[in-house]
Amino acid sequence: MAWWRKGRKLDLNNYIMIDNLKHHRWCVFGMPRTGSHLLEYQIHKHLNEVYGDSAKLGELFHPFSIRDTEVYLEGDTIISNDRDYGAGEFQSVNFWEEVYRKIGLLSQADNFQPLSCRFFYGEQYIFLGLEKTISILQEHNFKFIRLDRDFEKRLISYYFAKTNDNWRYSKNENKLFVDISRMRRYIFQTVHTELDYESQLPEFEYIKMDYDDIPKDDAGKNVKVLPDDPYEHIENAAEVKQLFEEYYPKVRDTLRDLI
């Protein structure tokens, strides 16, 4: 298993298998809808089989993550069950306070306990910034896997999830009509966010992995899986295909020159 640094381009095929991960703490990161939930589940399962007592922390720096998990602290064993917020209480939570409470919990954890977590570098709730987030995880002995996915499938999956509740947790046979204006906005916003965060990504070591290389068997509950051919489920598929063939490359090239 090899490591790569930012900016180095290699032909990477079948370069990682979950069973080959020898370290006991891993963080998955990437843009939303790249399969981070699915990959973290697989890593957690592997760590638990090899080391035992693995804790799956989920979106560690999101204020409402780490629910129903066990983190073993130095000294006595403490089970940390995160609060499940109701609608009213959600509005009153201090996000910063919750984020730092999670960091404090992580700082007390037994250094030998296997852990997994994930974060999206395209979401506004990365309060600490990329460099600080990565630094904190490095201090706690995490190694990193950067997850990527075909832009077109990622955006279609994102659109399905944001506009139709039936697509949030499992695939189904419903046909959806895609609002072209809305999808154009998604494309523009996502390309801008991705390029902006790419320019801020600090130099550090990580493994690269693609969504298509994640084991899909026994993936656990509530893992969001896009159909193999999402266009079969889109009523105006021809319009959407044209959007990705013509509009997306123009936006990408224009913004790349500006950022």
Side-chain angles (χ1 to χ4, degrees):
M1 181 168 56
W3 291 92
W4 291 268
R5 287 186 177 275
K6 176 186 173 188
R8 188 176 177 189
K9 296 180 180 179
L10 297 172
D11 181 18
L12 306 173
N13 294 309
N14 300 319
Y15 41 84
I16 176 176
M17 293 296 292
I18 302 301
D19 291 345
N20 293 332
L21 295 176
K22 304 301 181 184
H23 189 63
H24 71 297
R25 288 189 173 183
W26 291 93
C27 174
V28 179
F29 72 100
M31 290 291 289
R33 310 301 295 186
T34 51
S36 62
H37 184 176
L38 178 59
L39 180 56
E40 192 197 359
Y41 173 84
Q42 297 286 0
I43 291 173
H44 165 70
K45 180 181 175 183
H46 168 71
L47 294 179
N48 210 46
E49 290 173 352
V50 174
Y51 300 100
D53 294 329
S54 174
K56 184 163 64 74
L57 305 180
E59 297 171 39
L60 179 61
F61 295 98
H62 191 295
F64 307 110
S65 65
I66 320 184
R67 288 198 174 96
D68 301 322
T69 192
E70 295 183 358
V71 176
Y72 293 82
L73 307 187
E74 297 284 1
D76 296 332
T77 297
I78 298 178
I79 298 177
S80 173
N81 290 322
D82 230 21
R83 297 190 296 275
D84 194 1
Y85 299 96
E89 189 179 1
F90 182 92
Q91 299 295 330
S92 64
V93 168
N94 183 314
F95 279 11
W96 276 106
E97 181 181 317
E98 284 296 290
V99 169
Y100 278 107
R101 187 178 70 82
K102 303 282 172 50
I103 295 173
L105 179 64
L106 182 62
S107 298
Q108 298 175 60
D110 185 331
N111 192 50
F112 296 101
Q113 185 185 9
L115 304 174
S116 66
C117 69
R118 64 185 189 270
F119 71 84
F120 301 134
Y121 62 83
E123 293 283 6
Q124 62 183 4
Y125 54 66
I126 299 296
F127 295 104
L128 305 172
L130 276 176
E131 193 163 353
K132 183 65 174 176
T133 297
I134 292 166
S135 175
I136 289 172
L137 292 171
Q138 286 174 324
E139 289 173 5
H140 294 91
N141 205 15
F142 277 84
K143 291 186 178 181
F144 300 84
I145 297 176
R146 180 178 178 180
L147 193 55
D148 200 7
R149 185 181 188 182
D150 176 76
F151 183 89
E152 186 173 356
K153 287 187 177 180
R154 172 157 40 101
L155 260 289
I156 292 173
S157 176
Y158 182 84
Y159 184 92
F160 281 1
K162 293 297 183 183
T163 59
N164 191 295
D165 286 338
N166 291 332
W167 287 91
R168 289 185 184 275
Y169 300 113
S170 63
K171 64 182 182 181
N172 58 69
E173 302 305 318
N174 290 349
K175 286 241 178 182
L176 299 179
F177 182 86
V178 173
D179 183 322
I180 296 300
S181 295
R182 188 171 184 177
M183 181 62 88
R184 284 170 66 96
R185 292 196 297 273
Y186 280 161
I187 290 173
F188 185 90
Q189 292 166 357
T190 302
V191 172
H192 180 273
T193 300
E194 189 166 2
L195 290 175
D196 184 38
Y197 275 82
E198 285 285 343
S199 68
Q200 300 177 46
L201 195 64
E203 294 279 351
F204 72 107
E205 292 181 326
Y206 55 81
I207 291 176
K208 284 183 173 181
M209 187 172 184
D210 190 83
Y211 174 86
D212 291 335
D213 294 325
I214 303 173
K216 301 301 192 298
D217 295 335
D218 190 26
K221 297 179 180 179
N222 295 335
V223 174
K224 313 173 192 75
V225 179
L226 189 69
D228 291 335
D229 183 4
Y231 284 109
E232 291 182 0
H233 301 271
I234 298 177
E235 292 182 11
N236 54 334
E239 288 183 280
V240 178
K241 286 182 179 179
Q242 185 177 16
L243 200 59
F244 282 99
E245 290 171 358
E246 299 178 5
Y247 178 70
Y248 165 59
K250 291 179 182 178
V251 170
R252 180 193 59 209
D253 294 341
T254 301
L255 289 176
R256 184 175 286 142
D257 291 338
L258 293 175
I259 294 179

